[in-house]
Amino acid sequence: MSNKKKTFYITTPIYYPSGNLHIGHLYSTTIAWVLRNYKIKMGYDVKFLTGSDEHGQKIEKKAQEKKISPQEYVDIQSNKFIDLWKKTKINYDFFSRTTNKYHEKIVEEIFNKMLDKSLIYKGEYKGLYSINDEEFILEKEAIKKDDNFYHPISGHKLEWIQEESYFFKMNKFTHWLIDYVEKNKNFIIPKNIWKELKNNFLDKNLEDLSVTRISFEWGIQITKDPKHVIYVWLDALFNYISALGFDFENPQKDFIKYWKNGDEIVHIVGKEITRFHCIYWPIFLKSLDIRLPTTILSHGWLITPEGKMSKSKGNVIDPLSLLNKYDPEIIKYFFSSKISIYKDGIFSEELLINSYNSDLANTIGNLISRTISMIRQNFCAPVKFKKTNNNHDLDIIKSISNNFEKFKKHFDKFEIDLAFESMLHLARDLNKYIDLTLPWKMKNNLDLLETTLNLLLNGSYAVLSMLEVVCPDFVNQFKQILNVDNFDFDEIENFEKFNDISINENKIIFPRIK
Ligand code: MSP
């Protein structure tokens, strides 16, 4: 048997650097980062990609407004994302920029290969286009108001365009895609996303896709027909493999390891960009005989208690303003534990503070500080594990194992909020165990007291191991207090790990927010 680690490659959407930073960007990236952390703790060999999507008409227009070149503009703007990930302590392996020369070269080669394989033909695009969403919209999908057309989801105004364009033969792959998705149940999660896409696009004759534009210049030019630049979505989607070193002839080792022969490949996307990821992306890959990702995970939107965030309503939350007030781990904890990724989730500062105070300061913070102070008051040597037949003890041992199993089961199904609910369930059980067993009344039975406190210590270790997936910095501070080097999943059910460890003085790691 080989001990080679399984690989896991996870990506966020690469964001447009043209708009302001949005709390939604931080949400998607947090989800991907938390999954990355979980897989690392599970022993996988993990790579995590994020980046910025830097070509297209929208960027060109913004740069013109600012009177600088598009390249200067994206250089400035993409740094805002890099800075955001630094401030939120989100570490990644690749920051993919579509203006990177290697990416540009690969995308042009891909386009040429598509031409050689007769997957692309020249024609004329006549129809509506949303510059803001960089998306072609059929007239029947658009919303018509006062002689203007609007995007059905984002509401952006649509332009009428008529220009020479190359088209990709999407339609040819309709049956293949339907068949593929139906056979591969985990390819698109959640399932209702696929149902909608199938109803709206595949069952109604999938249109061939316009894959070049001629009315602006900021994009990857086709050397063979230089007035054309490649459609920004064809360009952007391929970042997921160009960043790993994809090449038709000489692919680099990361591409071979994490994509071609990789075990799991997961794309995290917001629900509004599933059409590109769940229809066009698999078809592009299939058309070139490139392996498909394992899962495209679509999440809902963050909304405010009053509804959708939008520029026109002026209620878009800037992540930087939140970071001026709250530790990034408080925000990342809220996103991971209080929002089901399959639905739209409400964000407000009040909910954020409540989740921190109730889960981290009260439930987990109190559990650990009570445990530590009882150990230090009663024992000056390590508290050892002893076999026990007491029902409360057996129940708590079972709760540690069961909740850890549930945590993993939920994570493996991308039910991140439910996974953290299992962690909290265990923390609540441990607090109840203290209230039921009343350790402060055990002074005349030190054996029993030692068993109880050892189980509380092991339970706290289990809670912190799970919490570390989203709050590594908070949890790191407990290492010194509990005198451990790591919080390993593999050690959770080893109840003897504290037998030789003396516990240090407690510090307040989770002060309440008033
Ligand atoms: N550049 C494309 C993606 C190309 S991927 C090959 C793009 N960029 S974007 O800047 O508009 O980012 C969209 C993504 O931001 C969404 O898919 C989602 O991940 C995130 N969010 C933006 N607003 C959001 C919310 N209100 N709520 C949650 N996430 C949302 O599309």
Side-chain angles (χ1 to χ4, degrees):
M1 257 217 354
S2 114
N3 322 319
K4 234 180 83 217
K5 285 184 171 186
K6 279 189 161 189
T7 68
F8 182 71
Y9 177 44
I10 183 146
T11 67
T12 72
I14 52 168
Y15 305 108
Y16 291 127
S18 49
N20 292 333
L21 295 175
H22 188 298
I23 192 180
H25 297 139
L26 177 56
Y27 175 67
S28 289
T29 307
T30 299
I31 296 299
W33 178 77
V34 163
L35 282 161
R36 160 204 181 264
N37 296 344
Y38 168 71
K39 287 290 191 178
I40 291 176
K41 287 201 72 156
M42 291 295 287
Y44 281 69
D45 177 345
V46 178
K47 289 280 179 243
F48 172 31
L49 171 143
T50 187
S52 57
D53 186 356
E54 305 188 350
H55 288 130
Q57 198 168 3
K58 180 168 50 173
I59 307 270
E60 191 180 81
K61 274 178 77 178
K62 289 270 177 166
Q64 275 161 1
E65 284 164 21
K66 301 251 179 241
K67 300 197 170 42
I68 51 176
S69 73
Q71 188 63 56
E72 281 172 293
Y73 177 70
V74 295
D75 286 346
I76 298 168
Q77 291 293 110
S78 64
N79 269 320
K80 295 189 179 168
F81 283 104
I82 293 177
D83 189 49
L84 177 63
W85 310 139
K86 213 179 266 162
K87 288 205 168 85
T88 47
K89 298 188 190 156
I90 290 183
N91 36 331
Y92 45 80
D93 300 290
F94 304 103
F95 189 87
S96 175
R97 297 183 59 186
T98 52
T99 51
N100 165 304
K101 292 290 159 259
Y102 183 78
H103 170 82
E104 291 183 340
K105 169 180 143 308
I106 290 297
V107 171
E108 202 197 343
E109 281 176 18
I110 283 168
F111 189 88
N112 288 336
K113 181 73 106 193
M114 288 172 170
L115 272 176
D116 291 348
K117 292 183 83 172
S118 299
L119 292 159
I120 284 179
Y121 60 91
K122 207 178 203 172
E124 187 185 49
Y125 182 79
K126 235 196 269 179
L128 296 165
Y129 190 75
S130 164
I131 299 181
N132 244 290
D133 304 283
E134 298 287 10
E135 187 171 0
F136 299 97
I137 299 290
L138 294 176
E139 209 174 318
K140 60 180 187 231
E141 296 169 53
I143 295 173
K144 194 166 181 226
K145 214 168 78 191
D146 311 329
D147 284 342
N148 287 317
F149 288 99
Y150 296 88
H151 189 288
I153 299 169
S154 69
H156 292 129
K157 194 163 168 225
L158 305 176
E159 313 269 312
W160 185 263
I161 58 172
Q162 177 165 7
E163 61 187 43
E164 182 183 287
S165 178
Y166 285 90
F167 286 83
F168 181 93
K169 295 179 184 166
M170 279 297 160
N171 188 270
K172 201 174 133 170
F173 294 90
T174 309
H175 295 299
W176 167 78
L177 184 64
I178 294 175
D179 192 51
Y180 185 85
V181 177
E182 316 238 292
K183 283 197 184 120
N184 292 275
K185 297 288 176 222
N186 288 331
F187 185 58
I188 296 172
I189 296 180
K191 296 211 166 37
N192 61 316
I193 291 288
W194 170 244
K195 271 194 210 131
E196 263 173 51
L197 291 172
K198 191 166 170 292
N199 280 344
N200 294 341
F201 301 106
L202 293 146
D203 288 347
K204 286 188 192 150
N205 190 31
L206 183 62
E207 305 270 329
D208 286 348
L209 181 70
S210 163
V211 285
T212 65
R213 301 284 317 273
I214 57 168
S215 48
F216 64 96
E217 286 173 7
W218 185 241
I220 302 174
Q221 211 177 29
I222 302 167
T223 321
K224 288 181 183 166
D225 196 353
K227 67 174 189 284
H228 288 262
V229 294
I230 295 174
Y231 175 42
V232 66
W233 271 98
L234 191 159
D235 169 353
L237 286 163
F238 279 96
N239 96 88
Y240 296 135
I241 59 173
S242 72
L244 293 176
F246 169 78
D247 183 272
F248 285 108
E249 307 302 327
N250 291 307
Q252 292 166 23
K253 68 176 195 321
D254 277 349
F255 174 77
I256 296 173
K257 181 169 182 190
Y258 297 97
W259 193 279
K260 187 167 188 274
N261 300 331
D263 294 293
E264 293 172 37
I265 301 167
V266 177
H267 298 306
I268 304 293
V269 299
K271 64 181 180 183
E272 83 289 5
I273 56 170
T274 47
R275 171 191 193 165
F276 304 98
H277 284 85
C278 305
I279 299 181
Y280 304 149
W281 179 227
I283 289 181
F284 285 149
L285 291 170
K286 167 71 184 169
S287 77
L288 299 170
D289 299 315
I290 303 172
R291 177 243 162 111
L292 267 55
T294 336
T295 296
I296 296 148
L297 183 65
S298 157
H299 64 69
W301 284 331
L302 283 187
I303 55 174
T304 69
E306 291 77 42
K308 224 174 131 176
M309 287 181 216
S310 75
K311 260 197 208 150
S312 51
K313 283 194 207 156
N315 62 352
V316 175
I317 301 172
D318 175 356
L320 294 178
S321 70
L322 280 182
L323 288 162
N324 286 334
K325 293 202 209 158
Y326 307 102
D327 186 295
E329 293 203 341
I330 296 180
I331 306 170
K332 292 188 281 187
Y333 177 75
F334 177 82
F335 287 166
S336 313
S337 66
K338 296 293 171 280
I339 293 177
S340 156
I341 59 177
Y342 300 141
K343 298 186 206 140
D344 289 348
I346 298 178
F347 176 86
S348 75
E349 285 190 51
E350 194 186 343
L351 292 171
L352 178 78
I353 296 172
N354 286 348
S355 95
Y356 168 79
N357 277 345
S358 133
D359 298 357
L360 301 184
N362 285 358
T363 307
I364 298 180
N366 278 346
L367 162 70
I368 298 174
S369 67
R370 290 205 283 175
T371 303
I372 292 170
S373 69
M374 289 189 287
I375 293 175
R376 290 184 56 90
Q377 271 165 27
N378 293 290
F379 295 90
C380 46
V383 287
K384 293 195 192 306
F385 176 71
K386 301 203 181 71
K387 277 242 148 35
T388 164
N389 287 319
N390 176 313
N391 279 342
H392 292 318
D393 298 345
L394 296 176
D395 285 348
I396 210 69
I397 291 173
K398 219 187 279 159
S399 173
I400 294 173
S401 304
N402 287 350
N403 283 303
F404 178 49
E405 283 313 307
K406 282 191 193 155
F407 178 84
K408 290 187 286 186
K409 224 170 78 200
H410 287 307
F411 246 110
D412 292 338
K413 291 201 274 179
F414 305 105
E415 296 165 343
I416 302 177
D417 57 325
L418 299 181
F420 287 112
E421 189 48 42
S422 306
M423 170 198 77
L424 274 180
H425 200 287
L426 171 60
R428 289 190 204 109
D429 279 358
L430 289 158
N431 278 320
K432 261 187 247 151
Y433 174 68
I434 299 180
D435 300 339
L436 280 171
T437 55
L438 308 171
W440 47 91
K441 292 196 173 159
M442 293 176 184
K443 300 239 156 98
N444 47 7
N445 188 346
L446 285 182
D447 261 6
L448 185 60
L449 180 61
E450 185 171 10
T451 304
T452 307
L453 295 180
N454 177 279
L455 288 181
L456 283 169
L457 204 48
N458 275 296
S460 300
Y461 182 100
V463 170
L464 290 171
S465 303
M466 293 184 253
L467 184 63
E468 192 181 33
V469 171
V470 58
C471 297
D473 284 0
F474 280 141
V475 170
N476 199 26
Q477 299 178 56
F478 287 101
K479 287 184 183 162
Q480 189 271 333
I481 302 172
L482 298 186
N483 232 332
V484 294
D485 294 332
N486 290 305
F487 288 97
D488 284 334
F489 282 171
D490 286 346
E491 285 294 310
I492 286 181
E493 283 165 276
N494 164 16
F495 286 86
E496 309 206 333
K497 60 185 167 292
F498 283 106
N499 282 4
D500 298 313
I501 295 181
S502 297
I503 304 303
N504 291 318
E505 213 173 304
N506 192 27
K507 291 190 202 100
I508 297 190
I509 311 288
F510 298 122
R512 275 184 74 80
I513 302 179
K514 303 244 159 51

